[in-house]
Amino acid sequence: MSEQPRRARRQPMAPHGLSRGALRSVIFLTAGALAVTALAGCASEDPAGKPLAGPDIAPAARPLVADGGTLRWAVDSVPETLNTFQADADATTTRVAQAVLPSMFRLDERGRPELNPDYLESAKVVGTEPRQVVLYKLNQQAVWSDGREIGAADFAAQWRALSGKESAYWTARNAGYERIERIERGANDLEVKVTFARPYADWRSLFSPLYPKDVMGTPDAFNDGARRKLKVTAGPFAVKKVDRKDDEITLTRNPRWWGSQAKLDEIVLRAVPRDKRAAALAAGALDLAEIDPETVHRIGLAARSGSKGAGTPLQGAAPLSAPGSEEIAADALHSWAVAHGSDGKAAEKETGARKKERRLQALRDVEVRRSLEPAYTQLALNGADGPLADERVRRAVARALDRKELAGAVLKPLGLPAEPVGSHLALAGQAAYADNSGALGGQDTAEAQALLADAGWVPGGPVKRKKNEKAAGAEGEKDAGKKKEKGQEKESEGGDDGTYIVGDDDKAPAEADREKKRHELKQGGAPGAYAPKGTAAPAGAAAGALAKDGKALTLRFVLPSGPGSRTLQTVAERIRRMLDRVGISTELSKVSDESYFKDHIASGEYDLALYSWPASAFPATDARPIYAKPVPAADGSLNVEQNYTRVGTDQVDQLFDQAVSTLNEGETKSLIRKADSRIWAAAGSIPLYQRPQLTAARKNLANAGAFGFQTPVYEDMGFLEKGARPAAGPSKK
């Protein structure tokens, strides 16, 4: 077993939780040869900038929020564990922990850690030689729900459990805790003194959340005691009930909470599938829910239809191809049928229209609050083998992409800033952010083609074929034409846009080849050529196709197929067209959400894929396993940690190690930015856009919605007093 400490595991985000997707220069530079001093940012202006979008939570002062009430909040699942340090913890585990447990630091609206005054009076480094020493001074009112003071014993128990020294603790991460040498009481019971064996820049990431010694004190309590219940807590709320039968977790006010009393009596976290949330909101079963763009359209239609009246076509409400616009079209049709005394189906149609109108009416009490998630979507390129093992090909893929266009396609229709992400390790506004994409360069078709040519991929090269495989080019096209004339041409399957979806056991590749050849002939041959439409490609090679050593350049593009993956599929189709322009063919393969990461991303069964990573306020710790160079394990396998692209360099690892071990914050930022420049140069992943955060909320719900970077303040959430109005626009707290 590796002796390397387990680091904080960030979960990749698929379609909605997702899930939660690298451009290169034409000059063939190895990652080690790249000069990054200028790219790291030396200007006087802070390259971190501001967040592209702030939180949108309908902020209201506490006196405007009524006391009492229950907030019904949609979540993806009732988690298997309430212990955030276990491998099967999920986003709901974190949400519960934020409401019921201490956090020494929380994130502000810029995604930067700030001291939490409910638990700390101060926390700072008080010594560096011979050891780093951090002194925590606790809020003297801070107590656990059983009345015991929060103190050094709790800090020490958590350190021992997460240090990695005792294998009996089933921990998923111990980053930072393994660097601690000892924890002891300070000058009094309110002081906790933490001494590190090795310097640790990200010390603010520790003890957030903090569990009581009752949970951390023994392996049995850690492994099992906190999975289904938390008896002792110390937040504005406490865990009242975990109901797995009804898929709900109920949080109730903590009577021992010393801070501002929670406005709500209860928060019910209710597991509701994404595609069922619009109906649950319309039925009044939810007050707050993250939603997909299709539901945003439906809520918008409901708001607009309210001012127009039922039974009347809405002018300019939405194009008839937009999700939810069927209600508008049906409304107009049914009213016309009744007015003109048409056949007996008119009454039935009118009844259906009125049902849809009632559903719209129910959504008029709901509004959409929108921001950008602290997460970005990337295009991942699997560099383990195949064409993408060559850095030049990875760079060519990157230089073929117009990231501005891709970001705009996702974010502009939602009214959100459509800026491509410039860093793998932070997002705009965070301390470590800088746009380092210049290490690679922007979209450039000519340079992408030059990179491919330098790597040996040339148009019209001979393609070696297996026995009985049909030739491409004129003969293959001729055969396809004969089949079409006989009505035997197989239609493409699976995609709304007609893109063939490759299954594991069907005959898609041959069909995809025919479809690709048809497309290439329509385009007039190889990239840059202007042959008349319909001109056949030379026999033995598809028009415009690139080949090397008898093999065509075709990449398998794997995508999730679930109901929340429409956006990813749209982005993938645009990427496919961009790659096609430089001669790179793609086969789109849609797989189930359940198998997407386990069977494809984690196992390396893909060439291209789209998924997201959450941003971290502590990239030196949390991002390292995502970009660490894979190393051979003792059993001969490859240990990739969370680096599912299998692309890494020794220099990136060294920069991470230096960044996490320096206590100079300016130097840490500089090292992180240099590491990011080299990650861009290695071309394993291409950050595309910050994920939209779309939340449906009751109009009278205050201090909740799309939080952006900001850690939610649970005690301030609630429903407005009658006549009260929240502040207009996104929160500026």
Side-chain angles (χ1 to χ4, degrees):
M1 179 179 295
S2 173
E3 294 300 320
Q4 188 175 13
R6 289 184 293 277
R7 297 179 178 86
R9 292 188 62 84
R10 289 196 288 167
Q11 295 298 320
M13 304 168 74
H16 5 81
L18 225 191
S19 163
R20 104 162 252 27
L23 310 171
R24 299 302 165 250
S25 169
V26 68
I27 303 173
F28 182 37
L29 296 173
T30 64
L34 181 69
V36 298
T37 304
L39 299 172
C42 301
S44 57
E45 184 177 351
D46 185 359
K50 298 180 179 179
L52 298 178
D56 187 4
I57 61 172
R62 285 179 57 85
L64 299 178
V65 182
D67 289 322
T70 297
L71 171 62
R72 297 159 302 175
W73 193 347
V75 295
D76 291 329
S77 65
V78 172
E80 291 299 317
T81 180
L82 297 179
N83 186 338
T84 62
F85 295 100
Q86 293 184 334
D88 50 354
D90 61 15
T92 310
T93 309
T94 299
R95 187 166 293 172
V96 171
Q98 288 173 339
V100 307
L101 290 171
S103 286
M104 301 302 109
F105 289 82
R106 59 189 178 192
L107 300 187
D108 65 13
E109 65 176 13
R110 296 169 66 87
R112 305 184 185 197
E114 62 177 7
L115 182 141
N116 190 339
D118 286 327
Y119 301 101
L120 289 177
E121 290 186 0
S122 66
K124 57 186 177 181
V125 177
V126 296
T128 57
E129 294 295 339
R131 297 282 189 269
Q132 176 187 352
V133 178
V134 175
L135 183 65
Y136 297 86
K137 293 186 178 181
L138 301 174
N139 184 325
Q140 61 182 348
Q141 296 177 296
V143 296
W144 296 104
S145 56
D146 61 2
R148 183 176 60 83
E149 289 184 345
I150 297 173
D154 302 295
F155 282 70
Q158 183 149 316
W159 159 53
R160 294 189 186 99
L162 301 178
S163 66
K165 295 179 180 178
E166 294 189 45
S167 60
Y169 286 91
W170 300 341
T171 62
R173 57 189 175 101
N174 61 4
Y177 292 97
E178 91 286 352
R179 290 178 175 247
I180 295 175
E181 181 178 278
R182 64 181 180 274
I183 293 180
E184 55 197 332
R185 178 181 176 276
N188 54 57
D189 289 340
L190 296 177
E191 291 188 358
V192 179
K193 187 178 178 182
V194 179
T195 301
F196 290 82
R198 292 178 290 159
Y200 186 49
D202 289 339
W203 61 269
R204 293 177 182 85
S205 68
L206 303 175
F207 310 111
S208 295
L210 176 69
Y211 285 81
K213 64 179 182 179
D214 310 68
V215 170
M216 294 289 183
T218 67
D220 287 344
F222 180 92
N223 298 339
D224 298 317
R227 289 189 65 80
R228 301 303 172 98
K229 55 188 176 182
L230 283 175
K231 293 181 179 180
V232 178
T233 57
F237 287 87
V239 179
K240 179 180 180 180
K241 184 180 182 181
V242 179
D243 189 336
R244 298 186 179 278
K245 181 178 179 182
D246 292 333
D247 283 336
E248 290 182 351
I249 298 178
T250 301
L251 309 180
T252 189
R253 278 179 181 164
N254 176 8
R256 286 190 177 272
W257 175 244
W258 57 94
S260 299
Q261 177 179 277
K263 286 290 184 178
L264 293 164
D265 290 324
E266 290 185 337
I267 297 176
V268 176
L269 303 175
R270 181 171 295 165
V272 180
R274 298 266 171 160
D275 58 346
K276 304 293 184 185
R277 291 181 184 179
L281 288 161
L286 289 175
D287 304 303
L288 187 66
E290 290 187 7
I291 54 176
D292 55 29
E294 289 74 20
T295 305
V296 172
H297 287 301
R298 293 178 66 85
I299 293 173
L301 287 168
R304 288 188 289 266
S305 68
S307 61
K308 297 287 184 176
T312 304
L314 303 187
Q315 299 298 321
L320 292 184
S321 60
S325 58
E326 64 275 6
E327 284 90 342
I328 307 303
D331 206 17
L333 175 62
H334 303 158
S335 297
W336 184 92
V338 172
H340 290 76
S342 60
D343 59 42
K345 294 183 179 179
E348 181 181 347
K349 291 180 179 178
E350 182 67 18
T351 300
R354 291 184 179 184
K355 287 181 179 179
K356 291 176 181 177
E357 170 60 27
R358 285 195 293 272
R359 289 200 294 270
L360 287 173
Q361 177 68 43
L363 286 174
R364 288 173 193 150
D365 293 331
V366 174
E367 65 183 9
V368 178
R369 298 173 185 173
R370 64 195 81 201
S371 184
L372 293 172
E373 273 191 55
Y376 69 89
T377 296
Q378 62 161 359
L379 176 66
L381 296 84
N382 185 355
D385 52 30
L388 293 178
D390 189 328
E391 186 176 298
R392 293 167 293 186
V393 178
R394 299 197 302 271
R395 288 177 174 171
V397 169
R399 297 304 296 266
L401 301 188
D402 186 336
R403 297 191 305 123
K404 182 77 172 178
E405 177 187 326
L406 295 173
V410 174
L411 299 173
K412 279 186 178 179
L414 300 171
L416 292 167
E419 292 297 321
V421 173
S423 171
H424 299 79
L425 306 180
L427 294 171
Q430 292 188 292
Y433 183 79
D435 186 347
N436 295 306
S437 60
L440 176 65
Q443 192 278 336
D444 192 316
T445 298
E447 293 199 4
Q449 291 172 327
L451 281 164
L452 293 170
D454 189 50
W457 296 96
V458 295
V463 178
K464 297 177 183 178
R465 306 192 177 281
K466 297 178 181 178
K467 187 177 181 180
N468 298 326
E469 183 179 357
K470 293 183 179 179
E475 294 303 317
E477 192 65 26
K478 183 177 179 181
D479 290 343
K482 288 181 179 179
K483 286 187 177 182
K484 189 171 184 180
E485 290 174 5
K486 295 179 182 180
Q488 297 176 1
E489 185 71 6
K490 184 178 179 181
E491 295 295 330
S492 60
E493 301 173 355
D496 296 336
D497 53 12
T499 303
Y500 198 98
I501 309 308
V502 182
D504 290 336
D505 56 358
D506 63 20
K507 299 179 181 179
E511 187 64 30
D513 284 346
R514 288 195 292 273
E515 179 62 26
K516 181 166 71 70
K517 288 195 287 288
R518 284 195 295 275
H519 171 75
E520 289 163 346
L521 289 175
K522 289 178 182 178
Q523 296 301 314
Y530 293 90
K533 182 179 178 180
T535 301
L546 300 181
K548 177 182 178 182
D549 298 330
K551 295 182 179 180
L553 179 52
T554 302
L555 302 178
R556 186 183 180 214
F557 202 155
V558 178
L559 295 167
S561 60
S565 58
R566 184 188 295 260
T567 297
L568 291 187
Q569 293 167 17
T570 298
V571 172
E573 178 57 28
R574 288 183 179 245
I575 290 174
R576 185 189 66 80
R577 292 198 296 266
M578 293 173 183
L579 295 180
D580 192 54
R581 294 189 193 113
V582 301
I584 299 175
S585 300
T586 53
E587 293 177 350
L588 297 188
S589 177
K590 294 182 183 177
V591 301
S592 69
D593 289 356
E594 293 74 19
S595 69
Y596 185 57
F597 280 108
K598 180 183 67 173
D599 299 328
H600 298 277
I601 306 305
S603 62
E605 294 298 319
Y606 75 97
D607 292 317
L608 303 174
L610 291 167
Y611 56 90
S612 301
W613 284 114
S616 170
F618 309 101
T621 294
D622 293 339
R624 191 189 193 283
I626 298 172
Y627 300 104
K629 182 179 178 180
V631 295
D635 60 1
S637 64
L638 193 65
N639 179 14
V640 302
E641 296 193 56
Q642 291 175 281
N643 186 352
Y644 302 129
T645 68
R646 282 80 176 162
V647 175
T649 73
D650 292 330
Q651 287 184 323
V652 168
D653 290 353
Q654 291 165 8
L655 287 166
F656 273 122
D657 291 342
Q658 293 171 29
V660 82
S661 298
T662 179
L663 299 181
N664 182 308
E665 293 185 8
E667 186 178 350
T668 297
K669 287 190 294 185
S670 177
L671 290 165
I672 287 296
R673 290 166 180 167
K674 288 179 181 179
D676 180 53
S677 293
R678 286 185 164 90
I679 293 169
W680 276 103
S685 69
I686 310 169
L688 300 178
Y689 54 86
Q690 201 169 338
R691 283 166 51 106
Q693 188 176 60
L694 308 169
T695 305
R698 296 287 163 200
K699 291 180 179 179
N700 65 338
L701 177 62
N703 300 318
F707 296 100
F709 287 116
Q710 194 174 57
T711 302
V713 182
Y714 289 81
E715 59 268 36
D716 289 351
M717 298 178 190
F719 297 96
L720 293 170
E721 296 277 11
K722 287 186 178 181
R725 293 176 178 270
S731 167
K732 298 300 180 187
K733 285 178 65 178

